[in-house]
Amino acid sequence: MEEKSIAGVNITLNEEGYLTDPEQWNEDVAKEIALEEEIELSDKHFEVLNYLREQFLAGESLSIRKVGNAGIVNIKELYQLFPGGPLKKSSRIAGIPKPASCV
Amino acid sequence: MVTKEENPLKKVCIICAKGSIEDVYATLVMANGAVMEGIEAKVFFTFFGLDAITKKQMKKLKTATVGNPAMRMPGGLPFPTLLGVIPGVEAGVSWMMKKGMDKLDIPPVGEFLEMITAGGGEIFACKMAAEMFKLKKEDLWDEVIDIITVGDFYAMCGGENTQIIFT
């Protein structure tokens, strides 16, 4: 566990850098975490992030396939938006836990 | 679970030599799991594994109901091997497997392969097996990169932190 100030907000992160409380998240926090992942967030990124948050807060489990079928981006575009680990990175930037999904 | 690896895996080369649903899915899950983690994946389909990337067969993979000691009835009772030989049983069991996977959000073979290539994974067919089964490039799934020899495949499996996986 680590306390950190990101975009002026006090955030608690777990050992892998994921927010432990999704309520501490806002768009500026997302932008700063994204920069750590070397991603500059566009509107499209935010559409994906908001979808992930909605699904997570509704108690749904997430998979790449589900995000690809959500009508925002296809899977190839998802990989382009979040290179090198689309579901993991997008979840971290969206302020939700690391997805426990094998697909 | 926290995973911290100081010397992370960079590439997996996966060989699929069998064509039953579970053997093919083992390959697909491992390959997709790799690209999801940002690990390069190259997959080589050979012998009966070629069914997974053969247009005519890829939607019709089956689970063996004979000679499969791990088979059970729904509910967990042992599955008598003799039942497995009754016409339709193999199809029924295979259908149940596919239904179970769909519930877990595991896609059909074609869509799964698309997910892997969308993430940059590469799919190859074995030259010797393709010749044996008289398969040409056009008989194979469109995104198969090429039909190659074992030597060609090994030539792609070099580099630091690369593993070869045989499913």
PDB file of all heavy atoms in Angstrom, chain A residues 15-16 61-66 69 75-76 79 84-88 98 101-103, chain B residues 1-4 29 32 35-38 102 104-108 111-112 115 118-119:
ATOM      1  N   GLU A  15       0.183  -2.558  -4.151  1.00  0.00           N
ATOM      2  CA  GLU A  15       1.580  -2.856  -4.511  1.00  0.00           C
ATOM      3  C   GLU A  15       1.820  -2.761  -6.013  1.00  0.00           C
ATOM      4  O   GLU A  15       2.940  -2.531  -6.451  1.00  0.00           O
ATOM      5  CB  GLU A  15       1.967  -4.268  -4.040  1.00  0.00           C
ATOM      6  CG  GLU A  15       2.007  -4.470  -2.542  1.00  0.00           C
ATOM      7  CD  GLU A  15       0.622  -4.733  -1.947  1.00  0.00           C
ATOM      8  OE1 GLU A  15      -0.395  -4.591  -2.674  1.00  0.00           O
ATOM      9  OE2 GLU A  15       0.554  -5.081  -0.751  1.00  0.00           O
ATOM     10  N   GLU A  16       0.778  -2.974  -6.798  1.00  0.00           N
ATOM     11  CA  GLU A  16       0.970  -2.968  -8.245  1.00  0.00           C
ATOM     12  C   GLU A  16       0.558  -1.635  -8.882  1.00  0.00           C
ATOM     13  O   GLU A  16       0.505  -1.533 -10.104  1.00  0.00           O
ATOM     14  CB  GLU A  16       0.171  -4.108  -8.874  1.00  0.00           C
ATOM     15  CG  GLU A  16       0.729  -5.465  -8.519  1.00  0.00           C
ATOM     16  CD  GLU A  16      -0.062  -6.578  -9.176  1.00  0.00           C
ATOM     17  OE1 GLU A  16      -1.221  -6.803  -8.771  1.00  0.00           O
ATOM     18  OE2 GLU A  16       0.467  -7.197 -10.087  1.00  0.00           O
ATOM     19  N   SER A  61     -17.784  -8.554 -14.233  1.00  0.00           N
ATOM     20  CA  SER A  61     -16.375  -8.859 -14.450  1.00  0.00           C
ATOM     21  C   SER A  61     -16.012  -8.439 -15.870  1.00  0.00           C
ATOM     22  O   SER A  61     -16.852  -8.452 -16.763  1.00  0.00           O
ATOM     23  CB  SER A  61     -16.093 -10.335 -14.222  1.00  0.00           C
ATOM     24  OG  SER A  61     -16.861 -11.088 -15.108  1.00  0.00           O
ATOM     25  N   LEU A  62     -14.752  -8.086 -16.048  1.00  0.00           N
ATOM     26  CA  LEU A  62     -14.346  -7.520 -17.332  1.00  0.00           C
ATOM     27  C   LEU A  62     -13.424  -8.451 -18.092  1.00  0.00           C
ATOM     28  O   LEU A  62     -12.623  -9.162 -17.497  1.00  0.00           O
ATOM     29  CB  LEU A  62     -13.627  -6.192 -17.077  1.00  0.00           C
ATOM     30  CG  LEU A  62     -14.567  -5.065 -16.646  1.00  0.00           C
ATOM     31  CD1 LEU A  62     -13.792  -3.964 -15.964  1.00  0.00           C
ATOM     32  CD2 LEU A  62     -15.324  -4.521 -17.851  1.00  0.00           C
ATOM     33  N   SER A  63     -13.566  -8.453 -19.394  1.00  0.00           N
ATOM     34  CA  SER A  63     -12.623  -9.183 -20.234  1.00  0.00           C
ATOM     35  C   SER A  63     -12.388  -8.338 -21.480  1.00  0.00           C
ATOM     36  O   SER A  63     -13.185  -7.453 -21.794  1.00  0.00           O
ATOM     37  CB  SER A  63     -13.191 -10.551 -20.628  1.00  0.00           C
ATOM     38  OG  SER A  63     -14.300 -10.375 -21.488  1.00  0.00           O
ATOM     39  N   ILE A  64     -11.310  -8.641 -22.178  1.00  0.00           N
ATOM     40  CA  ILE A  64     -11.010  -7.903 -23.410  1.00  0.00           C
ATOM     41  C   ILE A  64     -12.161  -8.048 -24.396  1.00  0.00           C
ATOM     42  O   ILE A  64     -12.560  -7.107 -25.051  1.00  0.00           O
ATOM     43  CB  ILE A  64      -9.713  -8.453 -24.034  1.00  0.00           C
ATOM     44  CG1 ILE A  64      -8.549  -8.087 -23.124  1.00  0.00           C
ATOM     45  CG2 ILE A  64      -9.515  -7.930 -25.444  1.00  0.00           C
ATOM     46  CD1 ILE A  64      -7.261  -7.815 -23.786  1.00  0.00           C
ATOM     47  N   ARG A  65     -12.717  -9.260 -24.444  1.00  0.00           N
ATOM     48  CA  ARG A  65     -13.787  -9.518 -25.389  1.00  0.00           C
ATOM     49  C   ARG A  65     -14.995  -8.639 -25.099  1.00  0.00           C
ATOM     50  O   ARG A  65     -15.633  -8.100 -25.992  1.00  0.00           O
ATOM     51  CB  ARG A  65     -14.184 -10.984 -25.281  1.00  0.00           C
ATOM     52  CG  ARG A  65     -15.201 -11.395 -26.314  1.00  0.00           C
ATOM     53  CD  ARG A  65     -15.702 -12.781 -25.999  1.00  0.00           C
ATOM     54  NE  ARG A  65     -16.505 -13.317 -27.070  1.00  0.00           N
ATOM     55  CZ  ARG A  65     -17.389 -14.283 -26.891  1.00  0.00           C
ATOM     56  NH1 ARG A  65     -17.552 -14.791 -25.690  1.00  0.00           N
ATOM     57  NH2 ARG A  65     -18.096 -14.729 -27.895  1.00  0.00           N
ATOM     58  N   LYS A  66     -15.300  -8.505 -23.807  1.00  0.00           N
ATOM     59  CA  LYS A  66     -16.454  -7.702 -23.417  1.00  0.00           C
ATOM     60  C   LYS A  66     -16.242  -6.242 -23.805  1.00  0.00           C
ATOM     61  O   LYS A  66     -17.134  -5.598 -24.350  1.00  0.00           O
ATOM     62  CB  LYS A  66     -16.655  -7.829 -21.900  1.00  0.00           C
ATOM     63  CG  LYS A  66     -18.028  -7.432 -21.457  1.00  0.00           C
ATOM     64  CD  LYS A  66     -18.131  -7.583 -19.960  1.00  0.00           C
ATOM     65  CE  LYS A  66     -19.162  -8.618 -19.580  1.00  0.00           C
ATOM     66  NZ  LYS A  66     -19.173  -8.843 -18.127  1.00  0.00           N
ATOM     67  N   ASN A  69     -16.724  -5.795 -27.413  1.00  0.00           N
ATOM     68  CA  ASN A  69     -18.113  -5.893 -27.868  1.00  0.00           C
ATOM     69  C   ASN A  69     -18.985  -4.754 -27.352  1.00  0.00           C
ATOM     70  O   ASN A  69     -20.189  -4.746 -27.579  1.00  0.00           O
ATOM     71  CB  ASN A  69     -18.730  -7.222 -27.416  1.00  0.00           C
ATOM     72  CG  ASN A  69     -18.190  -8.383 -28.233  1.00  0.00           C
ATOM     73  OD1 ASN A  69     -17.741  -8.201 -29.355  1.00  0.00           O
ATOM     74  ND2 ASN A  69     -18.221  -9.583 -27.664  1.00  0.00           N
ATOM     75  N   ILE A  75     -11.195  -4.773 -30.742  1.00  0.00           N
ATOM     76  CA  ILE A  75     -10.090  -5.226 -29.901  1.00  0.00           C
ATOM     77  C   ILE A  75      -8.746  -4.691 -30.395  1.00  0.00           C
ATOM     78  O   ILE A  75      -7.883  -4.319 -29.613  1.00  0.00           O
ATOM     79  CB  ILE A  75     -10.120  -6.766 -29.796  1.00  0.00           C
ATOM     80  CG1 ILE A  75     -11.389  -7.169 -29.030  1.00  0.00           C
ATOM     81  CG2 ILE A  75      -8.873  -7.304 -29.113  1.00  0.00           C
ATOM     82  CD1 ILE A  75     -11.617  -8.647 -28.898  1.00  0.00           C
ATOM     83  N   LYS A  76      -8.628  -4.602 -31.704  1.00  0.00           N
ATOM     84  CA  LYS A  76      -7.377  -4.076 -32.264  1.00  0.00           C
ATOM     85  C   LYS A  76      -7.158  -2.625 -31.816  1.00  0.00           C
ATOM     86  O   LYS A  76      -6.052  -2.238 -31.417  1.00  0.00           O
ATOM     87  CB  LYS A  76      -7.430  -4.148 -33.792  1.00  0.00           C
ATOM     88  CG  LYS A  76      -6.081  -4.091 -34.436  1.00  0.00           C
ATOM     89  CD  LYS A  76      -6.159  -4.480 -35.890  1.00  0.00           C
ATOM     90  CE  LYS A  76      -4.759  -4.674 -36.436  1.00  0.00           C
ATOM     91  NZ  LYS A  76      -4.777  -5.301 -37.738  1.00  0.00           N
ATOM     92  N   TYR A  79      -6.036  -2.410 -28.244  1.00  0.00           N
ATOM     93  CA  TYR A  79      -4.591  -2.637 -28.102  1.00  0.00           C
ATOM     94  C   TYR A  79      -3.808  -1.387 -28.509  1.00  0.00           C
ATOM     95  O   TYR A  79      -2.750  -1.109 -27.952  1.00  0.00           O
ATOM     96  CB  TYR A  79      -4.142  -3.825 -28.955  1.00  0.00           C
ATOM     97  CG  TYR A  79      -4.254  -5.168 -28.253  1.00  0.00           C
ATOM     98  CD1 TYR A  79      -5.370  -5.967 -28.389  1.00  0.00           C
ATOM     99  CD2 TYR A  79      -3.211  -5.631 -27.447  1.00  0.00           C
ATOM    100  CE1 TYR A  79      -5.470  -7.192 -27.748  1.00  0.00           C
ATOM    101  CE2 TYR A  79      -3.295  -6.853 -26.809  1.00  0.00           C
ATOM    102  CZ  TYR A  79      -4.425  -7.638 -26.962  1.00  0.00           C
ATOM    103  OH  TYR A  79      -4.497  -8.833 -26.322  1.00  0.00           O
ATOM    104  N   GLY A  84       0.559  -2.832 -24.996  1.00  0.00           N
ATOM    105  CA  GLY A  84       1.316  -3.656 -24.046  1.00  0.00           C
ATOM    106  C   GLY A  84       0.530  -4.066 -22.819  1.00  0.00           C
ATOM    107  O   GLY A  84       1.073  -4.143 -21.725  1.00  0.00           O
ATOM    108  N   GLY A  85      -0.736  -4.333 -22.975  1.00  0.00           N
ATOM    109  CA  GLY A  85      -1.534  -4.817 -21.830  1.00  0.00           C
ATOM    110  C   GLY A  85      -2.815  -4.026 -21.690  1.00  0.00           C
ATOM    111  O   GLY A  85      -3.002  -3.302 -20.724  1.00  0.00           O
ATOM    112  N   PRO A  86      -3.690  -4.135 -22.684  1.00  0.00           N
ATOM    113  CA  PRO A  86      -4.852  -3.249 -22.764  1.00  0.00           C
ATOM    114  C   PRO A  86      -5.790  -3.300 -21.549  1.00  0.00           C
ATOM    115  O   PRO A  86      -6.189  -2.260 -21.052  1.00  0.00           O
ATOM    116  CB  PRO A  86      -5.588  -3.711 -24.024  1.00  0.00           C
ATOM    117  CG  PRO A  86      -5.044  -5.048 -24.336  1.00  0.00           C
ATOM    118  CD  PRO A  86      -3.662  -5.088 -23.787  1.00  0.00           C
ATOM    119  N   LEU A  87      -6.088  -4.490 -21.067  1.00  0.00           N
ATOM    120  CA  LEU A  87      -7.063  -4.571 -19.979  1.00  0.00           C
ATOM    121  C   LEU A  87      -6.434  -4.124 -18.657  1.00  0.00           C
ATOM    122  O   LEU A  87      -7.047  -3.394 -17.879  1.00  0.00           O
ATOM    123  CB  LEU A  87      -7.589  -6.004 -19.873  1.00  0.00           C
ATOM    124  CG  LEU A  87      -8.864  -6.185 -19.051  1.00  0.00           C
ATOM    125  CD1 LEU A  87      -9.993  -5.323 -19.585  1.00  0.00           C
ATOM    126  CD2 LEU A  87      -9.286  -7.645 -19.037  1.00  0.00           C
ATOM    127  N   LYS A  88      -5.201  -4.549 -18.445  1.00  0.00           N
ATOM    128  CA  LYS A  88      -4.497  -4.176 -17.216  1.00  0.00           C
ATOM    129  C   LYS A  88      -4.271  -2.676 -17.133  1.00  0.00           C
ATOM    130  O   LYS A  88      -4.571  -2.033 -16.139  1.00  0.00           O
ATOM    131  CB  LYS A  88      -3.123  -4.866 -17.188  1.00  0.00           C
ATOM    132  CG  LYS A  88      -3.123  -6.173 -16.471  1.00  0.00           C
ATOM    133  CD  LYS A  88      -1.738  -6.774 -16.269  1.00  0.00           C
ATOM    134  CE  LYS A  88      -0.605  -6.179 -17.054  1.00  0.00           C
ATOM    135  NZ  LYS A  88       0.673  -6.879 -16.856  1.00  0.00           N
ATOM    136  N   LYS A  98      -7.095  -4.479 -10.666  1.00  0.00           N
ATOM    137  CA  LYS A  98      -6.555  -5.279 -11.770  1.00  0.00           C
ATOM    138  C   LYS A  98      -7.531  -6.409 -12.076  1.00  0.00           C
ATOM    139  O   LYS A  98      -7.946  -7.141 -11.179  1.00  0.00           O
ATOM    140  CB  LYS A  98      -5.215  -5.856 -11.323  1.00  0.00           C
ATOM    141  CG  LYS A  98      -4.514  -6.697 -12.358  1.00  0.00           C
ATOM    142  CD  LYS A  98      -3.152  -7.101 -11.821  1.00  0.00           C
ATOM    143  CE  LYS A  98      -2.520  -8.197 -12.633  1.00  0.00           C
ATOM    144  NZ  LYS A  98      -1.204  -8.570 -12.111  1.00  0.00           N
ATOM    145  N   SER A 101      -8.933 -11.764 -14.998  1.00  0.00           N
ATOM    146  CA  SER A 101      -9.501 -12.484 -16.129  1.00  0.00           C
ATOM    147  C   SER A 101      -8.389 -13.110 -16.958  1.00  0.00           C
ATOM    148  O   SER A 101      -7.346 -12.495 -17.165  1.00  0.00           O
ATOM    149  CB  SER A 101     -10.302 -11.505 -16.996  1.00  0.00           C
ATOM    150  OG  SER A 101     -10.541 -12.067 -18.253  1.00  0.00           O
ATOM    151  N   CYS A 102      -8.626 -14.344 -17.404  1.00  0.00           N
ATOM    152  CA  CYS A 102      -7.623 -14.996 -18.257  1.00  0.00           C
ATOM    153  C   CYS A 102      -7.921 -14.765 -19.735  1.00  0.00           C
ATOM    154  O   CYS A 102      -7.147 -15.160 -20.592  1.00  0.00           O
ATOM    155  CB  CYS A 102      -7.572 -16.495 -17.991  1.00  0.00           C
ATOM    156  SG  CYS A 102      -6.839 -16.874 -16.415  1.00  0.00           S
ATOM    157  N   VAL A 103      -9.083 -14.210 -20.028  1.00  0.00           N
ATOM    158  CA  VAL A 103      -9.377 -13.881 -21.424  1.00  0.00           C
ATOM    159  C   VAL A 103      -9.670 -12.398 -21.508  1.00  0.00           C
ATOM    160  O   VAL A 103     -10.238 -11.913 -22.382  1.00  0.00           O
ATOM    161  CB  VAL A 103     -10.547 -14.716 -21.996  1.00  0.00           C
ATOM    162  CG1 VAL A 103     -10.082 -16.114 -22.344  1.00  0.00           C
ATOM    163  CG2 VAL A 103     -11.701 -14.779 -21.029  1.00  0.00           C
TER     164      VAL A 103
ATOM    165  N   MET B   1      -3.381 -11.479  -6.485  1.00  0.00           N
ATOM    166  CA  MET B   1      -2.007 -11.929  -6.336  1.00  0.00           C
ATOM    167  C   MET B   1      -1.057 -10.897  -6.917  1.00  0.00           C
ATOM    168  O   MET B   1      -1.284 -10.355  -7.977  1.00  0.00           O
ATOM    169  CB  MET B   1      -1.836 -13.259  -7.078  1.00  0.00           C
ATOM    170  CG  MET B   1      -0.593 -14.003  -6.663  1.00  0.00           C
ATOM    171  SD  MET B   1      -0.359 -15.469  -7.679  1.00  0.00           S
ATOM    172  CE  MET B   1       0.625 -14.804  -9.001  1.00  0.00           C
ATOM    173  N   VAL B   2       0.009 -10.631  -6.188  1.00  0.00           N
ATOM    174  CA  VAL B   2       0.987  -9.662  -6.676  1.00  0.00           C
ATOM    175  C   VAL B   2       2.079 -10.403  -7.440  1.00  0.00           C
ATOM    176  O   VAL B   2       2.661 -11.358  -6.959  1.00  0.00           O
ATOM    177  CB  VAL B   2       1.625  -8.896  -5.501  1.00  0.00           C
ATOM    178  CG1 VAL B   2       2.659  -7.911  -6.014  1.00  0.00           C
ATOM    179  CG2 VAL B   2       0.546  -8.181  -4.722  1.00  0.00           C
ATOM    180  N   THR B   3       2.295  -9.963  -8.652  1.00  0.00           N
ATOM    181  CA  THR B   3       3.367 -10.595  -9.410  1.00  0.00           C
ATOM    182  C   THR B   3       4.403  -9.540  -9.747  1.00  0.00           C
ATOM    183  O   THR B   3       4.121  -8.573 -10.426  1.00  0.00           O
ATOM    184  CB  THR B   3       2.840 -11.202 -10.718  1.00  0.00           C
ATOM    185  OG1 THR B   3       1.939 -10.258 -11.311  1.00  0.00           O
ATOM    186  CG2 THR B   3       2.117 -12.498 -10.485  1.00  0.00           C
ATOM    187  N   LYS B   4       5.580  -9.738  -9.220  1.00  0.00           N
ATOM    188  CA  LYS B   4       6.663  -8.825  -9.574  1.00  0.00           C
ATOM    189  C   LYS B   4       7.817  -9.652 -10.109  1.00  0.00           C
ATOM    190  O   LYS B   4       8.406 -10.456  -9.403  1.00  0.00           O
ATOM    191  CB  LYS B   4       7.090  -8.017  -8.348  1.00  0.00           C
ATOM    192  CG  LYS B   4       6.418  -6.657  -8.339  1.00  0.00           C
ATOM    193  CD  LYS B   4       7.113  -5.693  -7.418  1.00  0.00           C
ATOM    194  CE  LYS B   4       6.318  -4.393  -7.371  1.00  0.00           C
ATOM    195  NZ  LYS B   4       6.380  -3.762  -6.068  1.00  0.00           N
ATOM    196  N   VAL B  29      -5.861 -19.930 -25.248  1.00  0.00           N
ATOM    197  CA  VAL B  29      -5.877 -19.189 -23.988  1.00  0.00           C
ATOM    198  C   VAL B  29      -4.461 -18.729 -23.625  1.00  0.00           C
ATOM    199  O   VAL B  29      -4.239 -17.590 -23.234  1.00  0.00           O
ATOM    200  CB  VAL B  29      -6.479 -20.043 -22.842  1.00  0.00           C
ATOM    201  CG1 VAL B  29      -6.292 -19.357 -21.493  1.00  0.00           C
ATOM    202  CG2 VAL B  29      -7.957 -20.302 -23.093  1.00  0.00           C
ATOM    203  N   ASN B  32      -3.469 -15.909 -26.193  1.00  0.00           N
ATOM    204  CA  ASN B  32      -4.193 -14.670 -25.931  1.00  0.00           C
ATOM    205  C   ASN B  32      -3.754 -14.056 -24.599  1.00  0.00           C
ATOM    206  O   ASN B  32      -3.581 -12.847 -24.492  1.00  0.00           O
ATOM    207  CB  ASN B  32      -5.695 -14.941 -25.931  1.00  0.00           C
ATOM    208  CG  ASN B  32      -6.494 -13.677 -25.731  1.00  0.00           C
ATOM    209  OD1 ASN B  32      -6.436 -12.768 -26.542  1.00  0.00           O
ATOM    210  ND2 ASN B  32      -7.191 -13.595 -24.620  1.00  0.00           N
ATOM    211  N   VAL B  35      -0.510 -12.090 -25.231  1.00  0.00           N
ATOM    212  CA  VAL B  35      -0.617 -10.769 -25.871  1.00  0.00           C
ATOM    213  C   VAL B  35      -1.325  -9.779 -24.947  1.00  0.00           C
ATOM    214  O   VAL B  35      -0.997  -8.583 -24.928  1.00  0.00           O
ATOM    215  CB  VAL B  35      -1.289 -10.800 -27.275  1.00  0.00           C
ATOM    216  CG1 VAL B  35      -0.424 -11.540 -28.256  1.00  0.00           C
ATOM    217  CG2 VAL B  35      -2.677 -11.378 -27.229  1.00  0.00           C
ATOM    218  N   MET B  36      -2.256 -10.268 -24.142  1.00  0.00           N
ATOM    219  CA  MET B  36      -2.934  -9.399 -23.169  1.00  0.00           C
ATOM    220  C   MET B  36      -1.959  -8.784 -22.182  1.00  0.00           C
ATOM    221  O   MET B  36      -2.192  -7.710 -21.644  1.00  0.00           O
ATOM    222  CB  MET B  36      -3.933 -10.224 -22.345  1.00  0.00           C
ATOM    223  CG  MET B  36      -5.323 -10.237 -22.871  1.00  0.00           C
ATOM    224  SD  MET B  36      -6.312 -11.395 -21.892  1.00  0.00           S
ATOM    225  CE  MET B  36      -6.565 -10.484 -20.386  1.00  0.00           C
ATOM    226  N   GLU B  37      -0.890  -9.507 -21.894  1.00  0.00           N
ATOM    227  CA  GLU B  37       0.111  -9.030 -20.930  1.00  0.00           C
ATOM    228  C   GLU B  37       1.243  -8.287 -21.626  1.00  0.00           C
ATOM    229  O   GLU B  37       2.257  -7.969 -21.012  1.00  0.00           O
ATOM    230  CB  GLU B  37       0.708 -10.211 -20.155  1.00  0.00           C
ATOM    231  CG  GLU B  37      -0.291 -10.994 -19.324  1.00  0.00           C
ATOM    232  CD  GLU B  37      -0.846 -10.191 -18.155  1.00  0.00           C
ATOM    233  OE1 GLU B  37      -0.081  -9.453 -17.522  1.00  0.00           O
ATOM    234  OE2 GLU B  37      -2.048 -10.296 -17.884  1.00  0.00           O
ATOM    235  N   GLY B  38       1.097  -8.091 -22.917  1.00  0.00           N
ATOM    236  CA  GLY B  38       2.152  -7.402 -23.643  1.00  0.00           C
ATOM    237  C   GLY B  38       3.319  -8.302 -24.005  1.00  0.00           C
ATOM    238  O   GLY B  38       4.411  -7.832 -24.291  1.00  0.00           O
ATOM    239  N   ASP B 102     -18.723 -20.442 -23.397  1.00  0.00           N
ATOM    240  CA  ASP B 102     -19.375 -19.188 -23.757  1.00  0.00           C
ATOM    241  C   ASP B 102     -19.802 -18.425 -22.504  1.00  0.00           C
ATOM    242  O   ASP B 102     -19.707 -17.205 -22.434  1.00  0.00           O
ATOM    243  CB  ASP B 102     -20.587 -19.485 -24.651  1.00  0.00           C
ATOM    244  CG  ASP B 102     -21.141 -18.212 -25.264  1.00  0.00           C
ATOM    245  OD1 ASP B 102     -20.341 -17.491 -25.893  1.00  0.00           O
ATOM    246  OD2 ASP B 102     -22.338 -17.938 -25.100  1.00  0.00           O
ATOM    247  N   LEU B 104     -18.290 -18.318 -19.767  1.00  0.00           N
ATOM    248  CA  LEU B 104     -17.100 -17.695 -19.182  1.00  0.00           C
ATOM    249  C   LEU B 104     -16.520 -16.613 -20.087  1.00  0.00           C
ATOM    250  O   LEU B 104     -15.415 -16.145 -19.873  1.00  0.00           O
ATOM    251  CB  LEU B 104     -16.029 -18.752 -18.911  1.00  0.00           C
ATOM    252  CG  LEU B 104     -16.348 -19.774 -17.834  1.00  0.00           C
ATOM    253  CD1 LEU B 104     -15.266 -20.832 -17.792  1.00  0.00           C
ATOM    254  CD2 LEU B 104     -16.469 -19.100 -16.479  1.00  0.00           C
ATOM    255  N   ASP B 105     -17.294 -16.270 -21.135  1.00  0.00           N
ATOM    256  CA  ASP B 105     -16.843 -15.249 -22.073  1.00  0.00           C
ATOM    257  C   ASP B 105     -15.642 -15.710 -22.899  1.00  0.00           C
ATOM    258  O   ASP B 105     -14.827 -14.910 -23.326  1.00  0.00           O
ATOM    259  CB  ASP B 105     -16.495 -13.944 -21.326  1.00  0.00           C
ATOM    260  CG  ASP B 105     -16.873 -12.723 -22.164  1.00  0.00           C
ATOM    261  OD1 ASP B 105     -17.680 -12.877 -23.089  1.00  0.00           O
ATOM    262  OD2 ASP B 105     -16.345 -11.634 -21.899  1.00  0.00           O
ATOM    263  N   ILE B 106     -15.535 -17.034 -23.083  1.00  0.00           N
ATOM    264  CA  ILE B 106     -14.481 -17.570 -23.948  1.00  0.00           C
ATOM    265  C   ILE B 106     -15.088 -17.715 -25.348  1.00  0.00           C
ATOM    266  O   ILE B 106     -16.074 -18.401 -25.527  1.00  0.00           O
ATOM    267  CB  ILE B 106     -13.989 -18.947 -23.442  1.00  0.00           C
ATOM    268  CG1 ILE B 106     -13.468 -18.800 -22.006  1.00  0.00           C
ATOM    269  CG2 ILE B 106     -12.905 -19.511 -24.353  1.00  0.00           C
ATOM    270  CD1 ILE B 106     -13.105 -20.108 -21.358  1.00  0.00           C
ATOM    271  N   PRO B 107     -14.517 -17.022 -26.319  1.00  0.00           N
ATOM    272  CA  PRO B 107     -15.143 -16.971 -27.643  1.00  0.00           C
ATOM    273  C   PRO B 107     -14.948 -18.244 -28.460  1.00  0.00           C
ATOM    274  O   PRO B 107     -14.090 -19.068 -28.134  1.00  0.00           O
ATOM    275  CB  PRO B 107     -14.412 -15.809 -28.305  1.00  0.00           C
ATOM    276  CG  PRO B 107     -13.097 -15.753 -27.633  1.00  0.00           C
ATOM    277  CD  PRO B 107     -13.299 -16.221 -26.230  1.00  0.00           C
ATOM    278  N   PRO B 108     -15.712 -18.384 -29.545  1.00  0.00           N
ATOM    279  CA  PRO B 108     -15.461 -19.481 -30.493  1.00  0.00           C
ATOM    280  C   PRO B 108     -14.074 -19.337 -31.107  1.00  0.00           C
ATOM    281  O   PRO B 108     -13.477 -18.251 -31.056  1.00  0.00           O
ATOM    282  CB  PRO B 108     -16.526 -19.287 -31.574  1.00  0.00           C
ATOM    283  CG  PRO B 108     -17.503 -18.307 -31.032  1.00  0.00           C
ATOM    284  CD  PRO B 108     -16.832 -17.527 -29.947  1.00  0.00           C
ATOM    285  N   GLU B 111     -13.160 -16.315 -33.488  1.00  0.00           N
ATOM    286  CA  GLU B 111     -13.109 -15.022 -32.797  1.00  0.00           C
ATOM    287  C   GLU B 111     -11.901 -14.951 -31.864  1.00  0.00           C
ATOM    288  O   GLU B 111     -11.271 -13.903 -31.708  1.00  0.00           O
ATOM    289  CB  GLU B 111     -14.408 -14.836 -32.013  1.00  0.00           C
ATOM    290  CG  GLU B 111     -14.578 -13.417 -31.487  1.00  0.00           C
ATOM    291  CD  GLU B 111     -15.771 -13.291 -30.539  1.00  0.00           C
ATOM    292  OE1 GLU B 111     -16.736 -14.074 -30.659  1.00  0.00           O
ATOM    293  OE2 GLU B 111     -15.708 -12.414 -29.662  1.00  0.00           O
ATOM    294  N   PHE B 112     -11.570 -16.098 -31.264  1.00  0.00           N
ATOM    295  CA  PHE B 112     -10.431 -16.154 -30.356  1.00  0.00           C
ATOM    296  C   PHE B 112      -9.132 -15.870 -31.131  1.00  0.00           C
ATOM    297  O   PHE B 112      -8.273 -15.107 -30.701  1.00  0.00           O
ATOM    298  CB  PHE B 112     -10.352 -17.530 -29.705  1.00  0.00           C
ATOM    299  CG  PHE B 112      -9.893 -17.509 -28.268  1.00  0.00           C
ATOM    300  CD1 PHE B 112     -10.160 -18.589 -27.436  1.00  0.00           C
ATOM    301  CD2 PHE B 112      -9.210 -16.434 -27.748  1.00  0.00           C
ATOM    302  CE1 PHE B 112      -9.750 -18.587 -26.113  1.00  0.00           C
ATOM    303  CE2 PHE B 112      -8.798 -16.422 -26.416  1.00  0.00           C
ATOM    304  CZ  PHE B 112      -9.067 -17.510 -25.600  1.00  0.00           C
ATOM    305  N   MET B 115      -8.851 -12.292 -31.781  1.00  0.00           N
ATOM    306  CA  MET B 115      -8.407 -11.542 -30.601  1.00  0.00           C
ATOM    307  C   MET B 115      -6.885 -11.593 -30.479  1.00  0.00           C
ATOM    308  O   MET B 115      -6.240 -10.616 -30.113  1.00  0.00           O
ATOM    309  CB  MET B 115      -9.040 -12.123 -29.326  1.00  0.00           C
ATOM    310  CG  MET B 115     -10.484 -11.726 -29.145  1.00  0.00           C
ATOM    311  SD  MET B 115     -11.303 -12.659 -27.812  1.00  0.00           S
ATOM    312  CE  MET B 115     -10.328 -12.202 -26.397  1.00  0.00           C
ATOM    313  N   ALA B 118      -5.347  -9.491 -33.218  1.00  0.00           N
ATOM    314  CA  ALA B 118      -5.610  -8.070 -32.925  1.00  0.00           C
ATOM    315  C   ALA B 118      -4.564  -7.542 -31.950  1.00  0.00           C
ATOM    316  O   ALA B 118      -4.189  -6.376 -31.990  1.00  0.00           O
ATOM    317  CB  ALA B 118      -7.008  -7.881 -32.356  1.00  0.00           C
ATOM    318  N   GLY B 119      -4.094  -8.436 -31.090  1.00  0.00           N
ATOM    319  CA  GLY B 119      -3.090  -8.032 -30.113  1.00  0.00           C
ATOM    320  C   GLY B 119      -1.667  -8.188 -30.636  1.00  0.00           C
ATOM    321  O   GLY B 119      -0.713  -8.035 -29.878  1.00  0.00           O
TER     322      GLY B 119
END
